Amino acid sequence: MIYRSTRSPIQASDPEAVLSGIAPDGGLFLPKEMVFPAFSAEETVKKDFLGIAEDILHTLFDSFTREEIADLVRASYEGKFSAPDFTPTVPVGDKYVLELFYGPTCAFKDVALSVLPHLMVKSREKCGVTDEIVILTATSGDTGKAALCGFRDVAGTRILVFYPHGGVSAVQRAQMVTQPGENTFVAAIEGNFDDAQTGVKNIFARFAAENTLSGKGARLSSANSINIGRLAPQIVYYFKAYGDLLREGRLSFGDKVDFVVPTGNFGNILAGYFAKKMGLPVGKLVCASNANNVLTDFIRTGTYDKRRPFYQTESPSMDILVSSNLERLLFLLSDGDDAAMAGWMKSLSEDGVYTVPAALLEKLQEDFAAYCCDDAKAGEVLGRIYRETGYLADPHTAVALGGAEEYFRDRMEDRPLVVLSTASPFKFSGPVMKAIGLDFEGNEFDRIRRLSEVSGLAVPPSLAELESLPERHKDVIGRDRMGDFVLSHLR
Ligand SMILES: *Cc1c(COP(=O)(O)O)cnc(C)c1O
């Protein structure tokens, strides 16, 4: 499949797009034509999770044979998720919740980061590249661990993760410093997340300018959600959820389903839009934000304005003011107007704001609705749903459940509604305990055990074992030492 950039007519093959991540002009890769004649949504929804994954990845990455994709899907998922059907759909009150947190790190990023390493290695082969792929990741907590698990012992890759010293939770730290694998390296940075992020960006720039890696058999890459190889696997669970409702007789193929998505960088919800473009009968895609509600305002008014306070909330993985993947949606809605796209992105970086034309906004609102829910409201919803139905949500999912309640009141048509659940409640036990009215003194691990006793839910095995695993990655380094850390850990 031919991919193209959102900012100019630059093209790439599917393995090239995966290998490079971002386009050379700073844009994001999208299929050149969003039409998939060989793909049948009606046939694909009947399959199980792995079967759906095969169909979708083979459609979007057709430089690979069906067999190559089948092998890759098995290597990515088998034995890695604690739910037999990977992403189950469960009824909660008058809605459904699509649970995406049964992977190794208990958050939805596992679904895509399980696939990306294998896709990168295969893409490397297809492109005739022999260098080892060295993944650099700065993390505020969740992405780093999911990337470490995904790349662990994948031949031809190596991963280095930097996190802010003292800036992540006890569980998040334990998840990273105990990470097994011959090709995994982790360091704490004396600084905050922005310092870690800036440090990584500087390494990319400096190593490129100074040709640092030439002759060293290594090339740098990143695992963040602008890579098309991370977006594609997320399309799978929209089909899986639709198939679940079909099998339970809740609908017939063709009936529309609404999805509510707790949103940060706009990757997860954009995958839902891709599912719709590929023929899944999706009704509205409802974007749920926390107090950082820049997307709510944008979807309602057409003006994207990042000049606003940044809030640290209890749903930290959604604390974001510039949602990278929105660029892909705007490109598609403007019928591929790359000049307009480049202009909006320029005003965003120079002035912090841009406004899209009224016609584009109208199209956007046909497919999307938007709601926001601050910590107080999300906590109220989390506590009430737990009392009324026994269902325990995490704070990110609670933002979406709050959005779903408002959408229920506003919407015109009555149809099944699926709320995407992006993390296990045990991963964010502090705000969850507060929301259900439990006071507790003690460390984070004691709290997790207490939450398990009270809720009757088992602690996810990967969190339960953390306390007893040996710490392997104890480096704490200055910000100016990050480049040396990378160089000293090459092959
Ligand atoms: C990353 C993340 C999100 C936001 O997803 P996007 O694809 O960035 O919109 C929501 N919830 C959790 C738990 C996450 O880790």
Side-chain angles (χ1 to χ4, degrees):
M1 174 155 300
I2 304 292
Y3 283 77
R4 60 152 299 161
S5 165
T6 48
R7 294 193 197 177
S8 72
I10 291 179
Q11 297 191 355
S13 68
D14 41 313
E16 285 165 354
V18 169
L19 214 50
S20 46
I22 194 158
D25 57 5
L28 307 186
F29 285 117
L30 276 174
K32 185 159 170 273
E33 313 286 345
M34 283 292 280
V35 286
F36 311 97
F39 178 82
S40 159
E42 189 164 5
E43 290 309 309
T44 294
V45 284
K46 293 179 192 153
K47 302 189 176 177
D48 64 4
F49 180 88
L50 298 179
I52 298 171
E54 256 181 54
D55 282 2
I56 287 178
L57 296 177
H58 186 53
T59 301
L60 289 170
F61 305 113
D62 62 2
S63 296
F64 301 98
T65 64
R66 181 94 206 176
E67 201 183 357
E68 284 174 316
I69 294 287
D71 287 348
L72 183 153
V73 165
R74 273 196 300 275
S76 303
Y77 289 117
E78 269 180 6
K80 304 230 177 103
F81 278 60
S82 62
D85 64 341
F86 300 90
T87 59
T89 311
V90 298
V92 175
D94 51 3
K95 307 178 182 70
Y96 297 90
V97 173
L98 168 57
E99 297 184 327
L100 303 173
F101 52 75
Y102 292 103
T105 78
C106 306
F108 95 103
K109 290 188 173 67
D110 290 327
V111 180
L113 278 165
S114 301
V115 174
L116 183 68
H118 298 278
L119 203 52
M120 273 192 171
V121 168
K122 283 263 178 261
S123 298
R124 184 182 79 136
E125 281 169 32
K126 282 269 181 249
C127 296
V129 171
T130 52
D131 289 345
E132 187 174 65
I133 299 169
V134 179
I135 302 292
L136 300 189
T137 303
T139 184
S140 57
D142 276 348
T143 307
K145 177 63 179 180
L148 284 164
C149 283
F151 282 90
R152 168 189 176 181
D153 292 332
V154 174
T157 72
R158 179 170 296 254
I159 174 160
L160 292 90
V161 169
F162 299 100
Y163 71 91
H165 186 47
V168 301
S169 78
V171 164
Q172 286 173 327
R173 178 183 173 279
Q175 281 187 314
M176 289 188 279
V177 300
T178 61
Q179 175 64 43
E182 291 305 309
N183 64 340
T184 60
F185 305 91
V186 180
I189 299 305
E190 287 164 349
N192 59 25
F193 170 63
D194 281 333
D195 297 323
Q197 175 120 302
T198 307
V200 165
K201 284 187 183 155
N202 289 345
I203 293 173
F204 274 98
R206 183 159 65 84
F207 282 19
E210 297 172 6
N211 246 328
T212 313
L213 296 184
S214 123
K216 291 203 163 64
R219 75 150 65 190
L220 299 183
S221 190
S222 88
N224 61 27
S225 71
I226 55 179
N227 195 312
I228 189 74
R230 255 189 80 177
L231 192 67
Q234 299 183 358
I235 302 167
V236 176
Y237 44 73
Y238 287 90
F239 280 81
K240 166 69 166 55
Y242 195 95
D244 286 343
L245 298 183
L246 211 53
R247 274 182 291 276
E248 284 173 21
R250 310 291 164 139
L251 40 80
S252 331
F253 189 82
D255 296 345
K256 287 184 174 167
V257 172
D258 293 331
F259 289 92
V260 186
V261 188
T263 296
N265 217 6
F266 210 76
N268 202 2
I269 193 167
L270 184 70
Y273 187 70
F274 265 63
K276 190 169 188 173
K277 288 278 175 197
M278 294 178 83
L280 190 72
V282 174
K284 280 272 197 254
L285 289 160
V286 182
C287 172
S289 301
N290 62 26
N292 296 296
N293 59 357
V294 62
L295 284 169
T296 319
D297 292 345
F298 175 67
I299 291 170
R300 291 181 178 187
T301 67
T303 294
Y304 195 102
D305 190 348
K306 70 167 185 182
R307 300 166 304 176
R308 59 180 73 209
F310 174 84
Y311 298 106
Q312 278 195 324
T313 72
E314 289 174 349
S315 42
S317 303
M318 295 157 63
D319 291 346
I320 193 160
L321 288 180
V322 177
S323 298
S324 318
N325 271 298
L326 185 62
E327 178 165 344
R328 285 193 166 105
L329 177 67
L330 297 183
F331 181 83
L332 294 172
L333 291 173
S334 68
D335 294 321
D337 190 345
D338 50 28
M341 193 72 239
W344 297 325
M345 291 303 119
K346 186 159 176 274
S347 14
L348 183 64
S349 72
E350 286 172 8
D351 311 323
V353 59
Y354 64 88
T355 300
V356 297
L360 194 155
L361 178 62
E362 206 173 297
K363 270 168 108 180
L364 175 71
Q365 291 174 342
E366 275 170 29
D367 290 312
F368 290 85
Y371 294 88
C372 59
C373 185
D374 63 14
D375 282 347
K377 166 102 188 293
E380 185 274 317
V381 170
L382 199 166
R384 175 163 43 78
I385 289 181
Y386 179 65
R387 283 192 305 278
E388 286 175 359
T389 69
Y391 190 79
L392 190 63
D394 102 290
H396 302 77
T397 309
V399 167
L401 287 164
E405 289 184 353
E406 285 191 48
Y407 173 66
F408 246 45
R409 284 196 288 272
D410 292 351
R411 71 178 181 173
M412 302 297 176
E413 285 172 71
D414 182 23
R415 48 196 179 205
L417 181 137
V418 176
V419 174
L420 274 62
S421 173
T422 48
S424 158
F426 289 101
K427 201 159 186 189
F428 298 94
S429 57
V432 170
M433 303 263 283
K434 190 175 82 184
I436 63 173
L438 276 181
D439 273 337
F440 189 71
E441 301 286 317
N443 73 24
E444 204 171 344
F445 292 102
D446 298 329
R447 206 163 60 205
I448 286 175
R449 277 187 288 271
R450 179 81 183 118
L451 187 59
S452 170
E453 280 163 25
V454 170
S455 66
L457 296 169
V459 180
S462 61
L463 294 184
E465 71 178 11
L466 273 184
E467 248 181 331
S468 59
L469 290 179
E471 296 198 354
R472 298 183 66 223
H473 307 280
K474 295 187 189 173
D475 287 312
V476 180
I477 63 176
R479 280 176 270 180
D480 54 338
R481 308 293 300 164
M482 290 170 65
D484 295 337
F485 185 82
V486 174
L487 288 175
S488 67
H489 289 98
L490 293 182
R491 183 165 51 180

